[in-house]
Amino acid sequence: MKIQMKIPLVEMDGDEMTRVLWSQIKEILILPYVDLKSEYYDLSLVNREATKDQVTIDAALANKKYGVSVKCATITPNKQRVEEYGLSEMWKSPNGTIRAILDGTVFRTPIMVSSIKPAVRTWEKPITIARHAFGDVYRASEIRVEGPGVARLVFTGDSGIEIEEEIARFEGLGVLQGQFNKDSSIYSFARSCFEFALSARQDLWFSTKDTISKKYDHRFKDIFQEVYDQEYRARFEAAGIEYFYTLIDDAVARVIRSKGGFIWACKNYDGDVMSDMVSTAFGSLAMMTSVLVSPDGNYEYEAAHGTVTRHYYRYLKGEETSTNPVATIFAWSGALRKRAEFDEIPELIHFADDLEEATLQTIEDGEMTGDLVALCDRPATKLNSTEFLQAIGRRLEARIG
Ligand code: NAP
Ligand code: MG
């Protein structure tokens, strides 16, 4: 008997090679065992064009309604894609649209296997980076200073209040930048991080440069502390996990010396840079999962990589591809597990565990896709995408059957 579900999982299909993998993952690894109840949204670029991108909005609203979704990688159109797909408009990034509707924070976690060693020898467990995805330098206004003069920071309140501060006096050429963030967004970021830490049962670290930025970064620090003290301290203590704040310089040193196994929350720019460093040091983008968590507890699971276009063009020519499906499989297992936790379906939690273990076991046994063969510290067999999914399927069958 297949595992029954109670509430639909929101399923967002996508583009190119990952779309090909998507249907194979379902067919080989999910549908034989789970009576999948999903509300399906086709977020392929073709259907976004056909629906004038309404499908992306509908999918995000469904995620808000049901609480959990799993998303395939999607094309973010640029000029070349507008021509390739004959688009009537350069549709916005689906991830950006979904993030704006769910108001969430993105958490990225590497999937570890024993044959692929992190560049940092002490890392034994994954490090998850939580990046604040709003404001700061990404929404800054900039001025090229053309000659001598005074730069001032001015705030004009609707109430009539005016605050002014001299930034600098220029004797000659220079540059200027104005950044902002909003308390509402920082509160959401903080709550998403605390929620995720509880859900993962891992310590939460947060770091900024508050010693230098005594108002701006300090506000981040204060908001995190306030939310922790008022809303999460008791739950953290009950779960046996810790929250701690430290200066970013200190955090960097501690991360490198650590064994891993925690969540590191970063401001927007820090998270951008540190997530690339951490993911590269763990091995491969194809082994990195990503989950968007909203402050009110909605979850959207996906792979951190894109649609693997180069492989797709080879696939279209009928050539064999060895594209790594692991992060997409883990997006499915993560979403099914979260759905199962919400709906109290223990068999489905077991299934998600089995699926992940069968996947890792396959790699541990030396069968993997080409990208991993290149990183592996022992001899390994390169399989094409379908053979690899079937190899996982055999191990899954052995566990369940
Ligand atoms: P990408 O799809 O992540 O692929 C970049 C390269 O990384 C690939 O060509 C491949 O290298 C390697 N790679 C990534 N994932 C792999 C996997 N699962 N298995 C094996 N190799 C993998 O990034 P991109 O080429 O920059 O972007 C392609 C499209 O994806 C773009 O249209 C972009 O808008 C979209 N995108 C979507 C998301 C998302 O939906 N979350 C995120 C990023 C990009 P080799 O070719 O050397 O084998
Ligand atoms: Mg980056």
Side-chain angles (χ1 to χ4, degrees):
M1 241 254 311
K2 289 189 191 181
I3 300 165
Q4 298 297 308
M5 294 176 65
K6 296 175 183 167
I7 295 176
L9 177 64
V10 178
E11 178 184 346
M12 307 182 191
D13 208 342
D15 289 299
E16 301 194 312
M17 204 59 219
T18 41
R19 186 183 181 90
V20 175
L21 294 175
W22 192 261
S23 66
Q24 291 191 359
I25 290 168
K26 278 169 67 179
E27 187 194 320
I28 300 171
L29 299 177
I30 312 238
L31 297 178
Y33 308 102
V34 180
D35 195 359
L36 183 68
K37 206 179 214 184
S38 79
E39 201 164 290
Y40 180 88
Y41 293 86
D42 182 3
L43 264 58
S44 66
L45 190 49
V46 172
N47 196 44
R48 277 180 274 149
E49 168 69 18
T51 62
K52 302 268 167 244
D53 209 25
Q54 184 61 36
V55 67
T56 310
I57 294 164
D58 292 345
L61 292 176
N63 197 153
K64 238 176 144 71
K65 176 176 168 195
Y66 294 115
V68 187
S69 70
V70 58
K71 181 182 168 291
C72 181
T74 46
I75 293 168
T76 297
N78 53 17
K79 239 177 99 196
Q80 183 254 322
R81 298 295 199 168
V82 170
E83 281 164 31
E84 183 183 353
Y85 283 83
L87 302 181
S88 58
E89 225 178 279
M90 198 187 287
W91 305 111
K92 282 190 226 153
S93 149
N95 287 5
T97 303
I98 295 165
R99 204 179 298 148
I101 291 173
L102 293 182
D103 181 24
T105 298
V106 173
F107 297 83
R108 284 185 160 198
T109 309
I111 300 158
M112 294 180 75
V113 288
S114 72
S115 51
I116 299 168
K117 298 273 183 291
V120 178
R121 272 173 291 138
T122 52
W123 290 355
E124 290 167 8
K125 292 183 195 154
I127 295 167
T128 297
I129 299 265
R131 171 185 170 191
H132 185 211
F134 177 80
D136 301 350
V137 70
Y138 301 86
R139 290 279 192 99
S141 307
E142 302 191 322
I143 294 175
R144 164 76 168 124
V145 174
E146 305 279 3
V150 184
R152 290 190 192 87
L153 195 58
V154 182
F155 173 77
T156 310
D158 291 345
S159 65
I161 188 179
E162 188 132 318
I163 304 170
E164 195 178 303
E165 178 111 10
E166 182 174 316
I167 299 170
R169 176 165 289 281
F170 287 86
E171 289 76 40
L173 301 176
V175 283
L176 257 176
Q177 184 184 69
Q179 287 190 32
F180 74 95
N181 222 300
K182 296 183 178 177
D183 276 19
S184 58
S185 177
I186 306 168
Y187 275 106
S188 291
F189 174 45
R191 290 195 178 100
S192 295
C193 290
F194 289 120
E195 285 291 333
F196 185 89
L198 279 171
S199 162
R201 281 188 167 260
Q202 287 184 340
D203 291 348
L204 176 67
W205 302 14
F206 180 46
S207 58
T208 72
K209 192 72 179 175
D210 68 291
T211 46
I212 300 298
S213 174
K214 290 186 165 57
K215 288 204 172 103
Y216 198 111
D217 281 17
H218 215 284
R219 185 70 193 134
F220 281 76
K221 177 184 177 182
D222 287 345
I223 287 176
F224 266 70
Q225 196 60 47
E226 178 197 319
V227 171
Y228 179 65
D229 290 338
Q230 292 184 3
E231 301 171 31
Y232 289 95
R233 186 183 285 277
R235 288 163 72 194
F236 265 54
E237 283 168 2
I241 56 174
E242 238 183 70
Y243 164 67
F244 87 95
Y245 174 86
T246 186
L247 195 64
I248 185 145
D249 318 41
D250 179 51
V252 167
R254 283 173 187 251
V255 164
I256 297 298
R257 286 196 309 260
S258 77
K259 293 194 162 132
F262 55 88
I263 298 145
W264 182 14
C266 293
K267 285 179 63 201
N268 209 348
Y269 173 80
D270 299 340
D272 186 352
V273 177
M274 292 304 161
S275 73
D276 281 348
M277 190 197 67
V278 168
S279 65
T280 307
F282 269 104
S284 160
L285 198 59
M287 296 290 277
M288 181 73 59
T289 61
S290 180
V291 54
L292 174 71
V293 181
S294 78
D296 49 354
N298 292 299
Y299 291 76
E300 184 236 13
Y301 290 83
E302 64 176 327
H305 60 77
T307 60
V308 211
T309 310
R310 292 210 307 170
H311 294 213
Y312 182 60
Y313 289 150
R314 267 186 262 145
Y315 166 85
L316 287 182
K317 280 194 261 168
E319 291 171 27
E320 196 176 90
T321 59
S322 183
T323 314
N324 188 338
V326 170
T328 307
I329 295 171
F330 273 64
W332 273 98
S333 58
L336 288 171
R337 183 185 294 107
K338 184 54 71 183
R339 191 69 272 163
E341 284 170 10
F342 281 159
D343 304 343
E344 298 179 2
I345 312 172
E347 318 85 271
L348 192 55
I349 296 180
H350 285 283
F351 173 76
D353 294 344
D354 281 336
L355 176 55
E356 290 179 0
E357 282 160 22
T359 304
L360 297 178
Q361 190 59 51
T362 308
I363 301 170
E364 299 290 354
D365 290 346
E367 297 182 57
M368 59 196 79
T369 47
D371 58 312
L372 296 184
V373 172
L375 296 169
C376 195
D377 69 356
R378 56 196 82 147
T381 311
K382 174 180 167 179
L383 303 181
N384 69 38
S385 308
T386 314
E387 289 165 347
F388 180 60
L389 289 172
Q390 285 162 345
I392 297 169
R394 284 193 293 278
R395 286 165 180 83
L396 183 60
E397 181 64 31
R399 275 169 189 274
I400 294 173

